[in-house]
């Protein structure tokens, strides 16, 4: 058998992406203007004839003024509220922004590149490229996913979906609690929700009553399952017409507040490795799920399975039929390959000059060879100015550093549509392979909370069980 030439395959993948996006205008419309402008610059690098970027809100970091762009200046209370307000604003642009887009693209040739969680709806009268179908969006409802696991033959924890009433929720809680409480997940009555915003860990009768009140105000139905101690993790697949690419597990950096039981999402990392048999089981789960999605709803492109690696192995908790945040971290292992743009092209059914098996080999090799991680926190406190701080890590913990070029981590604080945003950039060369990153980051976030008075509160990391 001939050795696989990963460089040659990568070159063909990159050429396929460029051939897809070159020579035509692209409108980028996302929740954050910095993100929209960044994507627009990547489209320019891939030969786009012209670009225009629209962001619903201003985020943390500078905006490249060399890209024609508009910011809608949306603000709201909370992460999901700001995302929903941004989607609404992009669906009905102000007249002056619509006029700028029409002047830039008078023949309406442009297609729209949207953010990973957006619907397939048009923006400014231009069709979304690689948009999500309604039947795909419906599967992101956390109360319907157990039927998918059962249809695929995927092992899962026992769970019940009940009405969002206190009596029904307490009954399910007492029935399913295995000694560590239960996790409640709201349906999509108010639309898609992520980042643990619609998920609660319930441990005591007082918490149950409080969470039941919240659920009744925000959901019609609620999924209740036992709390599983272990490493929160995810794994991605990419559905092609003839193959399902199965990638490698990623640590989901998820914290919890021990006083309240609330989860705090903090992005992802690829340093940690589960046992080989668990990795194999997770990849097989991806193949089964991807094939089911293809056969039942005609799915194409990237999807994510989230779950927990507990004492009994990996237990899935939700399915995200879209490009996931963790695969963005994984994609840094091959930065010259625009994986999100490739995902959109696969959804569109573009003819590509490589096989799905070749792409799988390239992505697995890169992700296992080059590890990455980063973290963030969305802050309720309003932040208008930007700050930066550098830190080094040792056995003694985190200490301030004065040299950003050699620092092990850099904290960036700035505004977000929900209030504030804290981003941690990590020097991956300083993190050993096999590291469970969340405990390190817990300490760093607590240090930054005390330094800048951010209101993050107490955080703790999960406990690895395997």
């Amino acid at each position: 058998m001939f050795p696989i030439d990963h460089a040659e395959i990568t070159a063909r993948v990159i050429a396929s992406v460029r051939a897809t996006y070159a020579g035509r205008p692209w409108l980028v419309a996302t929740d954050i203007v910095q993100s929209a402008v960044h994507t627009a610059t990547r489209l320019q690098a891939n030969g786009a004839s012209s670009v225009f970027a629209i962001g619903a809100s201003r985020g943390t970091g500078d905006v490249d003024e060399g890209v024609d762009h508009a910011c809608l200046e949306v603000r709201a209370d909370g992460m999901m509220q700001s995302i929903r307000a941004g989607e609404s604003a992009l669906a009905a642009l102000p007249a002056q922004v619509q006029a700028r887009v029409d002047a830039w693209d008078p023949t309406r040739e442009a297609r729209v590149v949207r953010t990973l969680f957006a619907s397939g709806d048009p923006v400014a009268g231009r069709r979304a490229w690689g948009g999500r179908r309604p039947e795909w969006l419906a599967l992101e409802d956390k109360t319907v996913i157990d039927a998918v696991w059962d249809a695929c033959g995927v092992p899962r924890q026992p769970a019940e979906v009940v009405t969002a009433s206190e009596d029904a929720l307490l009954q399910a809680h007492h029935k399913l609690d295995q000694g560590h409480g239960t996790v409640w997940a709201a349906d999509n009555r108010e639309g898609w929700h992520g980042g643990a915003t619609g998920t609660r860990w319930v441990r005591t009768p007082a918490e149950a009553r409080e969470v039941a009140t919240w659920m009744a105000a925000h959901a019609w139905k609620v999924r209740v399952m036992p709390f599983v101690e272990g490493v929160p993790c995810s794994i991605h697949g990419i559905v092609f017409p003839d193959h399902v690419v199965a990638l490698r597990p990623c640590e989901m950096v998820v914290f919890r507040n021990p006083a309240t039981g609330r989860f705090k999402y903090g992005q992802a990392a690829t340093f940690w490795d589960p046992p080989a048999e668990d990795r194999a089981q997770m990849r097989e789960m991806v193949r089964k799920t991807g094939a089911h999605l293809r056969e039942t709803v005609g799915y194409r492109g990237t999807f994510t399975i989230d779950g927990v690696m507990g004492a009994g192995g990996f237990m899935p908790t939700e399915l995200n039929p879209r490009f996931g945040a963790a695969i963005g971290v994984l994609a840094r292992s091959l930065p010259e390959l625009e994986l999100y743009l490739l995902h959109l092209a696969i959804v569109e059914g573009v003819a590509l000059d490589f096989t799905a098996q070749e792409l799988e080999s390239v992505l697995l090799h890169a992700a296992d060879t080059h590890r990455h991680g980063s973290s963030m926190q969305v802050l309720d406190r309003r932040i208008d100015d930007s700050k930066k701080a550098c830190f080094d890590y040792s056995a003694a913990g985190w200490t301030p550093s004065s040299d950003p070029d050699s620092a092990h981590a850099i904290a960036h604080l700035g505004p977000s549509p929900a209030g504030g945003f804290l981003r941690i950039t990590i020097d991956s060369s300083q993190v050993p392979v096999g590291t469970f990153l969340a405990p390190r980051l817990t300490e760093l976030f607590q240090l930054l909370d005390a330094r800048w008075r951010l209101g993050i509160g107490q955080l703790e990391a999960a406990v690895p069980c395997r």
Side-chain angles (χ1 to χ4, degrees):
M1 187 173 180
F2 294 106
I4 297 172
D5 189 339
H6 290 111
E8 187 273 334
I9 298 170
T10 301
R12 281 193 279 121
V13 176
I14 292 170
S16 288
V17 172
R18 183 175 181 83
T20 300
Y21 291 92
R24 68 180 303 168
W26 293 95
L27 174 64
V28 184
T30 71
D31 55 330
I32 303 296
V33 70
Q34 284 91 337
S35 173
V37 169
H38 173 75
T39 300
T41 62
R42 303 315 307 148
L43 286 162
Q44 285 180 323
N46 279 278
S49 60
S50 63
V51 295
F52 192 100
I54 305 175
S57 305
R58 197 166 301 278
T60 297
D62 296 330
V63 178
D64 184 349
E65 297 297 332
V67 172
D68 198 6
H69 65 274
C71 182
L72 307 183
E73 304 295 349
V74 171
R75 274 191 178 270
D77 294 329
M79 183 182 79
M80 289 311 305
Q81 291 89 335
S82 65
I83 287 174
R84 290 171 186 144
E87 286 289 284
S88 296
L90 289 169
L93 295 177
Q96 65 271 27
V97 176
Q98 181 71 52
R100 288 179 63 190
V101 174
D102 291 340
W104 163 74
D105 178 40
T107 59
R108 293 181 172 259
E109 295 177 65
R111 294 290 177 262
V112 187
V113 172
R114 306 205 60 187
T115 192
L116 59 88
F117 50 73
S119 69
D121 295 337
V123 175
R126 277 75 177 174
R127 182 175 75 81
W129 176 259
R132 302 169 69 198
R133 301 180 192 171
E135 59 268 34
W136 302 354
L137 284 161
L139 289 172
E140 201 155 346
D141 188 324
K142 296 167 179 59
T143 65
V144 305
I145 197 55
D146 289 323
V148 174
W149 306 138
D150 293 344
C152 297
V154 168
R156 63 174 177 89
Q157 285 285 301
E160 289 191 1
V161 175
V162 300
T163 58
S165 68
E166 183 173 320
D167 287 346
L169 287 164
L170 287 173
Q171 185 176 350
H173 168 73
H174 290 307
K175 178 179 178 180
L176 294 168
D177 185 359
Q178 297 176 355
H180 301 286
T182 58
V183 177
W184 300 5
D187 64 13
N188 283 11
R189 169 178 151 186
E190 297 181 338
W192 164 83
H193 56 86
T197 55
T199 304
R200 300 288 189 273
W201 181 16
V202 176
R203 300 164 296 175
T204 68
E207 286 179 350
R209 288 188 292 271
E210 178 184 347
V211 176
T213 300
W214 187 92
M215 290 291 176
H218 297 277
W220 289 306
K221 293 184 177 181
V222 180
R223 180 181 187 266
V224 181
M225 65 169 282
F227 174 82
V228 178
E229 184 62 88
V231 176
C233 54
S234 64
I235 186 165
H236 294 77
I238 307 175
V239 180
F240 283 80
D242 59 348
H243 183 72
V244 178
V245 170
L247 298 178
R248 56 152 291 139
C250 302
E251 174 193 349
M252 287 197 300
V253 180
V254 178
F255 310 103
R256 56 213 189 194
N257 184 316
T260 66
R262 290 290 299 272
F263 297 112
K264 296 279 283 183
Y265 174 72
Q267 219 163 45
T270 60
F271 305 107
W272 167 80
D273 286 315
E277 62 272 21
D278 290 319
R279 170 175 166 139
Q281 177 226 354
M282 292 176 72
R283 295 188 68 222
E284 181 60 24
M285 185 181 300
V286 163
R287 294 187 189 96
K288 289 180 178 179
T289 305
H292 175 81
L293 293 175
R294 182 175 58 209
E295 293 162 8
T296 56
V297 294
Y299 193 80
R300 295 290 186 274
T302 305
F303 69 95
T304 310
I305 298 174
D306 292 345
V308 179
M309 183 63 70
F314 179 74
M315 289 290 124
T317 56
E318 63 183 75
L319 172 72
N320 298 314
R322 56 174 167 79
F323 196 90
I327 200 173
V329 175
L330 184 149
R332 295 175 199 163
S333 302
L334 213 57
E336 66 273 24
L337 195 163
E338 300 290 347
L339 197 53
Y340 183 58
L341 297 182
L342 176 59
H343 157 75
L344 297 177
I346 295 168
V347 173
E348 286 286 336
V350 172
L352 302 166
D353 185 28
F354 57 87
T355 67
Q357 292 86 345
E358 287 175 325
L359 179 65
E360 181 173 67
S361 177
V362 163
L363 294 178
L364 280 173
H365 175 76
D368 285 339
T369 304
H370 305 288
R371 309 302 182 97
H372 292 277
S374 58
S375 196
M376 45 70 73
Q377 286 289 289
V378 177
L379 308 172
D380 294 332
R381 174 186 160 191
R382 178 162 177 161
I383 305 293
D384 294 312
D385 301 321
S386 296
K387 296 181 181 179
K388 183 169 76 171
C390 303
F391 297 89
D392 289 332
Y393 185 81
S394 68
W398 294 98
T399 54
S401 169
S402 59
D403 185 0
D405 293 331
S406 64
H408 295 179
I410 302 176
H412 306 262
L413 177 67
S416 84
F421 189 76
L422 178 60
R423 182 177 70 245
I424 306 295
T425 304
I426 296 169
D427 180 353
S428 298
S429 68
Q430 302 297 325
V431 183
V433 170
T435 298
F436 178 40
L437 195 59
R440 287 194 186 190
L441 290 170
T442 299
E443 180 186 345
L444 182 55
F445 278 123
Q446 304 288 236
L447 184 64
L448 289 164
D449 194 14
R451 181 173 185 167
W452 286 334
R453 299 181 181 178
L454 302 175
I456 294 174
Q458 189 178 0
L459 299 177
E460 66 178 14
V463 179
C465 298
R466 288 171 80 85

